[in-house]
């Protein structure tokens, strides 16, 4: 635990992200300045396998992290002694990768006598819209849509999250990835499906809207994925039409489930979307229109902050410092990396909710 006192107005936090297939480092100030950042994707390493291979991911993080840290610090002209805290993703995610980032952060924190901040990766996504939008206050309704998670949360403050819904099988990003795989579009699938959907007719392939109208606001995408497989195997449809129809079905499910969550837990002053699928323009447009219909402010972080990155981890560290106040000495240096780490510990476990964030 570090003993340094941080400047609470605008602390400088070093962030490390390594929970999936992006190795990322960032320096962020409490005044929302991203001082420097670097990100290295492992897409090329995992592409031959059609998904992330945990062992390959962990090795790649281990090879890349130290030189990336050096590069970011040098470029920013920042020494370790100038940093107020060191934040790293401590879960949930692929545990080998998480350990690489967390152990590195512990070593730096110990060497420089700075506080360590163990960040929940999902909290990084959940708070990232506040890095981009200074006017976004608590509470807000959050749609977190990534490769491993599909949740609706009530964000009530730093560390205060209430889960209103989750997926009972696949996450939406996973459904995008599987659709891409079925159509042979490669990995990662989301951007490829979105691109091809531009050339297709969204009304041409009849696909289900799983759980639409259900009382609980939960999600389900496994049936949609199976329907995509059947549509492909039928040979009756162009791939672009399947992509456009899939995207349309997914968006309709999102909006229906959000409307249900709003009925049960609303009203909320703002709707926020985060996670990799938030990069999808059709998803964004539908959410923006939904927010407008319900007189909610709408915030989506810029694309680079939607997919995994370290700025959101450093920012979560800034938020944590501000929330804990001047006496905060950091998380214990023996903090254990967590493969699973729900944002709302009180939420009941739902079968099928993913590990990947
Ligand atoms: O948050 P993220 O970078 O990683 C984690 O899952 O933690 O999200 C990655 C997911 C992948 O499933 C990817 O296919 C999806 O986000 N994604 C997209 C788009 N860009 C990324 N899905 C739909 N449309 C996109 N443009
Ligand atoms: Zn993520």
């Amino acid at each position: 635990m570090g003993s340094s006192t941080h400047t609470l107005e605008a602390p400088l936090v070093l962030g490390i992200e390594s929970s999936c297939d992006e190795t990322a480092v960032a320096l962020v100030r409490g005044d929302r300045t991203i001082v420097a950042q670097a990100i290295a994707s492992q897409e090329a390493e995992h592409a031959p396998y059609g998904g992330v291979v945990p062992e390959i991911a962990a090795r790649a993080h281990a090879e890349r992290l130290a030189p990336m840290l050096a590069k970011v610090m040098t470029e920013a002209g920042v020494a370790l002694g100038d940093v107020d805290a060191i934040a790293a993703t401590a879960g949930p995610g692929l545990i080998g990768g998480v350990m690489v980032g967390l152990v590195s952060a512990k070593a730096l924190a110990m060497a420089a006598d700075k506080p360590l901040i163990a960040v929940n990766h999902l909290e990084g996504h959940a708070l990232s819209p506040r890095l981009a939008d200074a006017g976004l206050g608590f509470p807000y309704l959050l749609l977190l849509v990534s490769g491993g998670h599909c949740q609706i949360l009530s964000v009530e403050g730093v560390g205060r999250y209430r889960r209103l819904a989750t997926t009972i099988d696949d996450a939406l990003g996973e459904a995008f990835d599987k659709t891409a795989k079925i159509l042979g579009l490669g990995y990662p699938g989301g951007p490829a499906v979105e691109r091809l959907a531009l050339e297709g007719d969204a009304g041409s392939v009849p696909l289900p809207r799983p759980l639409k109208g259900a009382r609980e606001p939960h999600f389900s995408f496994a049936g949609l994925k199976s329907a995509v497989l059947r549509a492909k195997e039928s040979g009756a449809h162009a791939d672009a039409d399947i992509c456009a129809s899939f995207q349309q079905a997914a968006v309709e499910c999102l909006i229906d489930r959000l409307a249900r969550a709003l009925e049960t837990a609303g009203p909320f002053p703002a709707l926020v979307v985060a996670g990799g699928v938030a990069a999808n323009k059709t998803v964004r447009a539908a959410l923006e229109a939904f927010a407008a219909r319900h007189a909610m402010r709408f915030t989506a972080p810029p694309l680079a902050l939607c997919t995994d990155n370290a700025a959101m981890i450093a920012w979560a560290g800034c938020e944590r410092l501000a929330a804990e106040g001047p006496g905060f000495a950091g998380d214990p240096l023996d903090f254990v990396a967590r493969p699973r780490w729900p944002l709302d510990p009180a939420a009941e476990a739902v079968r099928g909710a993913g590990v990947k964030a």
Side-chain angles (χ1 to χ4, degrees):
M1 267 182 263
S3 57
S4 67
T5 49
H6 40 263
T7 26
L8 274 182
E9 278 77 71
L12 179 63
V13 175
L14 174 65
I16 297 173
E17 160 60 34
S18 60
S19 66
C20 191
D21 57 348
E22 323 279 351
T23 315
V25 173
L27 279 165
V28 173
R29 265 192 202 289
D31 64 3
R32 295 184 164 76
T33 318
I34 299 176
V35 177
Q37 66 172 323
I39 183 159
S41 166
Q42 303 171 6
E43 263 168 39
E45 280 93 330
H46 300 292
Y49 306 95
V52 180
V53 182
E55 185 60 27
I56 293 175
R59 280 169 185 250
H61 289 304
E63 279 164 20
R64 286 170 195 182
L65 188 54
M68 258 169 104
L69 276 162
K71 184 169 162 274
V72 164
M73 302 292 280
T74 308
E75 269 177 22
V78 166
L80 205 50
D82 303 330
V83 168
D84 291 292
I86 294 149
T89 295
L94 301 172
I95 200 65
V98 173
M99 284 168 67
V100 169
L102 182 59
V103 168
S104 305
K106 287 176 178 178
L108 294 173
M110 202 184 292
D113 194 23
K114 301 290 180 182
L116 167 78
I117 302 180
V119 175
N120 182 318
H121 178 86
L122 300 176
E123 179 164 47
H125 280 303
L127 297 175
S128 65
R130 282 168 49 84
L131 169 57
D133 180 354
L136 177 66
F138 300 115
Y140 49 86
L141 186 65
L142 172 74
L143 174 68
L144 180 59
V145 271
S146 71
H149 286 271
C150 194
Q151 302 189 349
I152 302 174
L153 294 147
S154 165
V155 179
E156 284 147 25
V158 177
R160 289 168 49 218
Y161 311 94
R162 194 153 56 91
R163 197 197 70 194
L164 304 174
T166 187
T167 176
I168 62 166
D169 42 55
D170 294 351
L172 183 51
E174 199 179 350
F176 267 96
D177 292 336
K178 286 176 178 169
T179 294
K181 202 169 183 176
I182 290 165
L183 301 179
L185 301 178
Y187 171 86
V193 171
E194 178 173 21
R195 224 173 297 124
L196 195 53
L198 289 173
E199 300 161 24
D201 173 359
S204 58
V205 184
L207 294 173
R209 272 70 172 149
L211 292 187
K212 189 170 178 185
R215 208 172 60 85
E216 291 281 326
H218 292 319
F219 297 100
S220 167
F221 292 107
L224 183 54
K225 169 199 66 194
S226 311
V228 164
L229 180 62
R230 285 193 298 275
K232 172 67 181 172
E233 285 175 350
S234 77
H237 306 284
D239 288 354
D241 289 339
I242 296 177
C243 286
S245 301
F246 162 79
Q247 198 169 261
Q248 178 63 27
V251 164
E252 277 180 35
C253 291
L254 286 182
I255 297 301
D256 177 73
R257 310 292 56 219
L258 271 173
R260 188 69 198 122
L262 203 54
E263 269 169 37
T264 52
F268 287 87
L271 173 67
V272 169
V273 62
V277 182
N280 186 288
K281 292 192 188 65
T282 306
V283 169
R284 278 183 184 236
L287 294 174
E288 192 164 8
F290 173 82
R293 284 200 298 281
H294 293 274
M296 297 161 93
R297 177 196 183 99
F298 177 69
T299 297
L303 298 190
L305 280 180
C306 283
T307 48
D308 287 351
N309 66 88
M312 72 179 189
I313 303 303
W315 173 250
C318 292
E319 292 262 34
R320 183 83 190 281
L321 286 179
E324 300 271 2
F328 180 57
D331 287 316
L333 285 174
D334 60 358
F335 194 101
V336 176
R338 302 178 181 175
R340 284 184 178 259
W341 186 0
L343 267 186
D344 176 0
E348 60 171 319
V350 172
R351 185 182 59 86
V355 176
K356 207 188 139 204

